[in-house]
Amino acid sequence: NTLDSIIWMAETNDSNIVAMTEALAKLFRISLNKGNEEISLERELEHVKNYFQLQQIRYPDNFTYDIQCPEELLEMLIPPIVIQTFAENAIKHSLVIGMVNHVKVRIEMAKEQLHISIHDTGTGYPDDVLEKIRLFQQTRVRQEGLGLGLYLTRRILTSEGGYIRVSSQPGKGSTFSLY
């Protein structure tokens, strides 16, 4: 989709083409992570920011974002693309053209455990999707219609002793909390 947007921008001489291409290049570089199994929070958050910048060019005036992380946590290592997966879901599953959605990524230490929350003010998930997520959380069996990102992220987190908590209200947004 992003490459299609870049082609369209080139054809129409859109001035955002350089910014979009730079953000995409950075996104690819961080995604590859030189084959490392862990990435610093700083690099992961840079990855998320690049993703958001790409989406803001694609969907101008449809969402805002805020990323909060104490400076002392930036060097902490986490599995790559964990935060980006949920940031992407916050846009992909809650964005409504003509409505401004706000996405907030917040990282903190709580009781000596890293807590990452990704909250959006979008449409929220329908009850049937929430039920599939809950069933997946309980049974660890991938549910029809749930994305691979949630499945893989949950496997990575649980292998490290972590877990995911989901809350969502239709019309009021969703929060994914990663511990």
Side-chain angles (χ1 to χ4, degrees):
N1 288 336
T2 302
L3 291 174
D4 286 338
S5 293
I6 290 171
I7 291 168
W8 176 82
M9 293 168 123
E11 290 172 347
T12 61
N13 294 319
D14 189 314
S15 62
N16 289 315
I17 192 167
V18 172
M20 187 173 229
T21 306
E22 285 175 341
L24 183 62
K26 289 177 185 175
L27 193 77
F28 285 151
R29 274 190 220 104
I30 294 171
S31 291
L32 296 174
N33 196 34
K34 299 179 184 173
N36 295 328
E37 292 184 20
E38 294 182 310
I39 190 170
S40 70
L41 266 172
E42 183 173 29
R43 296 274 294 163
E44 176 74 358
L45 292 176
E46 182 182 337
H47 187 68
V48 171
K49 185 177 178 183
N50 288 323
Y51 175 76
F52 283 154
Q53 288 172 343
L54 284 170
Q55 298 311 310
Q56 281 187 319
I57 293 168
R58 268 184 90 193
Y59 305 109
D61 305 320
N62 283 118
F63 80 95
T64 59
Y65 69 91
D66 181 38
I67 299 174
Q68 299 174 357
C69 179
E71 193 170 323
E72 65 269 14
L73 298 181
L74 291 175
E75 294 306 312
M76 211 171 179
L77 297 176
I78 63 169
I81 310 180
V82 167
I83 301 171
Q84 193 273 335
T85 297
F86 294 97
E88 184 175 328
N89 283 344
I91 301 299
K92 193 172 168 184
H93 298 292
S94 69
L95 188 70
V96 176
I97 302 302
M99 178 179 126
V100 178
N101 182 17
H102 182 71
V103 181
K104 182 176 185 176
V105 177
R106 190 176 84 213
I107 296 150
E108 62 188 354
M109 287 299 283
K111 299 180 184 176
E112 298 184 22
Q113 184 177 30
L114 186 66
H115 175 219
I116 301 166
S117 78
I118 300 95
H119 174 76
D120 69 74
T121 59
T123 58
Y125 287 88
D127 288 337
D128 63 320
V129 174
L130 287 174
E131 185 55 36
K132 287 179 181 182
I133 292 171
R134 286 187 192 99
L135 188 58
F136 168 62
Q137 295 270 67
Q138 292 170 352
T139 65
R140 298 181 184 195
V141 175
R142 187 165 174 216
Q143 301 297 306
E144 180 82 26
L146 288 185
L148 187 59
L150 177 63
Y151 173 74
L152 292 175
T153 302
R154 185 184 183 287
R155 281 190 59 196
I156 290 167
L157 288 176
T158 55
S159 72
E160 300 288 326
Y163 59 96
I164 301 170
R165 183 173 293 143
V166 182
S167 63
S168 182
Q169 291 184 315
K172 294 189 178 182
S174 304
T175 301
F176 282 83
S177 296
L178 316 175
Y179 300 90

